[in-house]
Amino acid sequence: GGGAFRPSERAACAAMFRGDYVAAARIMLGSGDGPIPPDFLAACVGGGRDLYASVAREQADRLERRGEHQRAALLHLSLHDVVNALGSLRRGGFIRDAAALAAARLHPGDEALVAVRRELAAAEETRGGMEAAAKAHLAAGRPAAAVRALTRRTLGGARAAAEVALTCGLRGEPERHAVLRAATECAEMGDVEGAKSVIRRWREGT
């Protein structure tokens, strides 16, 4: 057997058979700059958590250098390292994945979660997804930014922006502008009562 292995892999395999996992890891990592085969990485578990963690982090770095940021993030998660997993995803441009991971694994008040949501909102605005951007802004605790994003939309955007402003009690000039635009949209669509309601709620502060 062993014919399918390269010389370095045969040497690493022999070291593992001897129980010398440190030597095996050193051989495999020293055999090239790219990721090592997944089966050898998994076998490093036999050398204990510290060894596996060290090799897994190096593997994640190598995967990132090859543009495999999602695989790198999974490796970080195998170590329960959410922060570095988020870093891998963000560096790869997988900001939606990063936001989903952060929401699932981090405390609502965690600064990393807020930062990812702000980054997602900026990315959605760049793509023109203003509703998605507004949701991300709201999730990050930035209702004024949500109003700004929604106001940039065409028909219907001002009404959504006004609803956010009124619900969150925002009273600035951008919010007043959104409310006036919303009332105008309602009137233009024949919804006079809706226009009156928006103006009334603004005046009453509700």
Side-chain angles (χ1 to χ4, degrees), residues 96 117 120-139 142-158 160-161 164 181:
R96 287 177 177 169
R117 282 175 167 166
L120 174 61
E124 295 291 4
E125 286 194 31
T126 300
R127 282 192 285 261
M130 295 309 176
E131 290 183 349
K135 289 179 181 178
H137 281 308
L138 287 173
R142 305 175 71 206
V147 170
R148 185 196 70 234
L150 288 168
T151 305
R152 290 179 182 174
R153 286 186 55 207
T154 53
L155 187 63
V164 172
R181 275 190 57 187

